[in-house]
Amino acid sequence: LFDWKGHTGRHGCSCKTMAPAYGVMRSDPRCPLDGHESGVSGLTFSPDGTLLVSASHDGHVKVWDTVTGSLLNRQQPLRHTGWIFTLASNPEDVRTFATGGEDGIRVWDLRSWENTLHLRKDCGS
């Protein structure tokens, strides 16, 4: 269903490599998603399936509309100061998710496009 293009890192994904992991039987991409400048490090769908969130080693988080394939946060960049290693959706709230990267953990609210919590990795040390 999706084809990840525009990734310059060696960890870039394509529909063919992603399909088995998600049980998708199609290998013909219907909706190319361009945007990250490095390899994709994580993907998660919102609990209602309307959003696909991607994180990358380029430090950016991208939010995609799963119906149209549109990048929803083109004007509202969500960013870490370094690589992003992981991300997770919130099963209780379709508009909230968390990312973990070199600079710590961040919680994002997609209603306001804001970072509502930042747990820095150096806290308590």
Side-chain angles (χ1 to χ4, degrees), residues 76-119:
Q76 298 85 9
L78 307 180
R79 180 159 172 72
H80 277 257
T81 57
W83 284 19
I84 300 174
F85 303 120
T86 189
L87 69 127
S89 60
N90 179 350
E92 306 279 323
D93 183 352
V94 299
R95 297 291 184 220
T96 305
F97 68 96
T99 54
E102 287 183 317
D103 62 348
I105 298 169
R106 295 178 183 259
V107 176
W108 303 93
D109 183 337
L110 301 185
R111 288 174 287 271
S112 62
W113 299 105
E114 292 182 5
N115 176 201
T116 59
L117 177 66
H118 184 190
L119 301 172

Side-chain angles (χ1 to χ4, degrees), residues 45-67:
F45 285 94
S46 61
D48 65 358
T50 61
L51 303 174
L52 175 64
V53 182
S54 62
S56 174
H57 294 298
D58 65 11
H60 287 93
V61 176
K62 306 286 185 180
V63 183
W64 311 90
D65 180 303
T66 58
V67 175

